[in-house]
């Protein structure tokens, strides 16, 4: 009794096409090949991805791992039919989340859940993952694509990424060295990155009735372009700094400066952030005004133009600022572990 | 300008309740604590989970990683309001996927994507993850819960898990030692595990019009009980075998015996599986008959009662069979790398 391809009718008519899944996946190898260094053993298609880590030169290697999605930025991909940036956003978001501890990425795994696999969409997503991983010297060693009819809307999908990286324990960054008087630097974000899209879409499309092709004052390109910009990966830039200079890093994601910065603040320090010290990008002003959103809430939903914060000692501020093209956005004062926006 | 909790109206009215998210997550620490050994540094709530691996005694440690979901088994959780088993299923599915290479689990990360967080559901899911991880001596070091209004149906969610484990390279199991004459053993599954639910639901609920409370001939408990049984974790059992005895392992998931076994078969070997050598559980007969599903297709959609296959040399078969309470279900013959069902 050989399995007969012609007989796979029941599963397909229930909405799961195993053959389609296999056909779609057959192109993966070529796409992810460019992300593989000698550490990657075996190949995708086995049950687990194999990675032989090289911890040479490390005293006490610690694995650092994080899982994330890109939220409803996906809706922008669905609306525009452009699926090439969200995969990059996911990889870069994950890498930043471990970079704040001082870790460099080793490998990445992706999950795509969808109502039905669309080969063209799948290829674009994989291209995005591959492009970002290649740029970050991070290997894609696994992935799962799940066809779940009745779970997702037709043409929609969710993306989930997991990153695993490594940091040498003596070089781990945890904010514990932060002291009153330290300087807060900010690195510019590239648009909304991957947070606040539910509110942004509601305000821009529902309340303001804007189209994807809209041109807004102060915004480069169309509204669609602006909202699909790729989440920046700050790790390559941060890795250029000498060990020991950075006291604390915060990746400004969901919860904004207000919720993310305290993750690295000692309990007896506050972060005083001067919101006039950088130019808040125009898109946020449109959202704030168009939606009548409270100014304070804007800073708890969006990155407001700052994608990563860096705390350094006063003596290091100038050199780090110049090297990273960062901006001084505030300072550390005695306090209770919160962010105070000025 | 302090962030004012009363002002977080815009985001909440767009469907994302940041405070609810924070409240729900505040219970995580206690739930996952039981999964943490001394390898886990820091705590959940930071940006990345920290794991200090102990590779003592290993010659050449290789990290093995896999990502997966539980498919539309989730729909059963939604239908019954029982969310305590699917989290366990996810953990165990992931662990089996790396166990087939010989790896033991180190840590796990979960993702829950939902329309809105329901604290009670979230707690049940986390309890499931924790229970399975604790039993498997695997640490939960990270997770993400995404509220995505308009992506998921009200009351629904998707689950994704990523496992990272380790195997000593000389002990890696890859099927390359499989030879004609070798014996195929099978380990019993515990129900459908996490595959074939889209077809099973269509046949049982739509075509046959059955209720969750239905009692089917030969099925223990209700239909709801049967479909929510926990995916078995075979790793603890497999780890009791002496090194070098197992030549190849296949976790029978989506694609069934037909698609999964070939992943470990050398190109010049076929797996001859005698489908009369074990009692196919009653649930599959009900699905096959009720849906008029081709018998061959059943073996490409469901595990049909075998959750894991083990290839051993004839001289080892008896001892392994006795130790694992496995069943001889076939043998290896010269061939072209496929499964032939008899």
């Amino acid at each position: 009794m050989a399995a007969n391809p012609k007989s796979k009718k029941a599963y397909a008519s229930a909405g799961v096409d195993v053959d389609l899944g296999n056909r779609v996946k057959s192109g993966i190898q070529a796409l992810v090949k460019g992300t593989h260094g000698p550490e990657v053993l075996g190949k995708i298609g086995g049950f687990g991805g194999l990675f032989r880590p090289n911890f040479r030169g490390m005293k006490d290697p610690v694995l650092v791992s994080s899982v994330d999605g890109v939220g409803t930025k996906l809706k922008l991909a669905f609306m525009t039919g452009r699926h090439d940036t969200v995969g990059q956003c996911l990889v870069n978001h994950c890498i930043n989340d471990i970079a704040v501890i001082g870790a460099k990425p080793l490998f990445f795994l992706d999950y795509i859940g969808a109502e039905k696999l669309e080969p063209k969409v799948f290829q674009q997503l994989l291209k995005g993952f591959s492009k970002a991983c290649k740029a970050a010297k991070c290997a894609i060693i696994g992935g799962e694509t799940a066809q779940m009819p009745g779970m997702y809307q037709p043409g929609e999908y969710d993306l989930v990424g997991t990153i695993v990286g490594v940091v040498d324990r003596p070089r781990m960054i945890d904010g514990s060295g932060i002291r009153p008087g330290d300087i807060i630097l900010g690195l510019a974000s590239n648009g909304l990155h991957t947070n606040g899209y539910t509110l942004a879409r509601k305000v821009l499309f529902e309340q303001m009735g804007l189209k994807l092709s809209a041109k807004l004052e102060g915004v480069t390109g169309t509204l669609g372009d602006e909202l699909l910009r790729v989440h920046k990966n700050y790790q390559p830039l941060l890795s250029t700094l000498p060990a020991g200079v950075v006291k604390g890093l915060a990746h400004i994601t969901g919860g904004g400066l207000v919720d993310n910065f305290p993750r690295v603040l000692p309990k007896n320090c506050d972060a005083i952030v001067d919101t006039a010290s950088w130019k808040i990008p125009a898109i946020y002003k449109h959202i704030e005004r168009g939606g009548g959103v409270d100014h304070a809430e804007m800073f708890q939903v969006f990155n407001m133009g700052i994608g990563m914060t860096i705390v350094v000692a006063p003596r290091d501020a100038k050199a780090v600022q110049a090297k990273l093209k960062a901006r001084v956005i505030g300072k550390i004062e005695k306090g209770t572990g919160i962010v105070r926006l000025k």
Side-chain angles (χ1 to χ4, degrees), chain A:
Chain A
M1 184 179 69
N4 174 4
K6 285 177 191 161
S7 75
K8 279 174 254 160
K9 283 176 187 160
Y11 211 27
S13 77
V16 178
D17 188 338
V18 175
D19 288 332
L20 174 65
N22 290 336
R23 278 203 311 282
V24 166
K25 290 175 193 171
S26 67
I28 295 180
Q29 270 292 11
L31 274 170
V32 302
K33 205 179 164 187
T35 72
H36 288 182
E39 304 87 358
V40 179
L41 311 178
K43 55 186 172 184
I44 304 279
F47 290 92
L50 302 172
F51 190 92
R52 190 165 165 251
N54 177 356
F55 295 143
R56 222 173 298 146
M58 288 194 182
K59 285 177 191 156
D60 190 359
V62 174
L63 296 173
V64 187
S65 187
S66 185
V67 57
D68 226 309
V70 296
T72 60
K73 185 168 193 168
L74 295 173
K75 288 278 188 187
L76 267 295
F78 309 152
M79 289 165 77
T80 57
R82 284 173 51 190
H83 306 275
D84 57 330
T85 66
V86 285
Q88 297 175 65
C89 291
L90 181 59
V91 171
N92 293 346
H93 184 143
C94 286
I95 290 176
N96 287 337
D97 270 352
I98 64 164
V100 294
I101 294 162
K104 65 170 188 179
L106 297 173
F107 58 83
F108 176 83
L109 301 95
D110 68 273
Y111 170 92
I112 305 171
E115 187 251 358
K116 203 173 175 67
L117 289 171
E118 289 296 336
K120 278 184 189 170
V121 173
F122 186 75
Q123 296 281 325
Q124 281 193 54
L125 292 172
L126 257 291
K127 274 184 192 167
F129 295 144
S130 305
K131 187 176 177 180
C133 280
K134 200 172 173 181
K137 291 178 185 158
C138 170
I140 301 176
I141 67 162
E144 168 67 9
T145 308
Q147 295 185 76
M148 293 195 283
M151 279 282 297
Y152 292 95
Q153 330 268 345
E156 298 203 348
Y157 53 81
D158 197 4
L159 292 188
V160 183
T162 304
I163 193 87
V164 174
V166 68
V167 61
D168 198 8
R169 199 173 181 186
R171 292 190 171 203
M172 219 157 76
I173 300 165
D174 63 2
S176 59
I178 293 175
R179 299 281 178 273
D182 284 345
I183 304 297
I184 305 169
L185 303 175
L187 291 173
S189 62
N190 184 31
L192 275 63
H193 284 181
T194 51
N195 293 99
Y197 277 85
T198 297
L199 180 56
R201 289 183 301 113
K202 189 188 172 196
V203 170
L204 296 166
F205 301 123
E206 288 179 34
Q207 294 178 227
M208 299 175 70
L210 295 170
K211 292 209 163 73
L212 287 164
S213 57
K215 296 271 200 172
L216 298 180
E217 199 192 324
V219 173
T220 310
T222 65
L223 180 57
D225 294 336
E226 174 72 13
L227 295 177
L228 277 172
R229 287 193 209 293
V230 175
H231 194 132
K232 261 195 202 169
N233 172 8
Y234 298 102
Q235 195 272 334
L237 194 60
L238 293 169
S239 69
T240 63
L241 295 175
V245 164
V246 173
K247 293 187 166 197
L249 292 167
H251 182 204
I252 309 307
T253 58
L257 276 162
V258 174
D259 280 354
N260 286 292
F261 207 138
R263 296 178 174 199
V264 290
L265 271 180
K267 290 277 173 247
N268 62 348
C269 289
D270 280 358
I272 316 301
V273 175
D274 177 4
T275 60
S277 63
W278 75 95
K279 194 173 178 297
I280 292 175
I283 186 72
Y284 303 110
K285 292 178 184 166
H286 291 292
I287 295 169
E288 186 172 335
R289 269 185 236 136
V293 183
D294 187 278
H295 190 57
E297 182 175 2
M298 290 294 294
F299 282 86
Q300 205 173 358
V301 177
F302 300 105
N303 64 57
M304 300 302 276
I306 300 294
M308 178 75 73
T309 58
I310 309 164
V311 180
V312 293
R315 66 171 179 281
D316 295 322
K318 214 153 209 166
V320 173
Q321 191 191 349
K323 186 149 197 173
L324 304 188
K325 289 179 184 161
R327 186 179 286 274
V328 175
I329 62 165
K331 61 182 172 184
I332 302 296
E333 291 186 0
K334 276 188 192 172
T336 58
I338 62 165
V339 172
R340 284 187 275 148
L341 302 174
K342 283 205 304 189

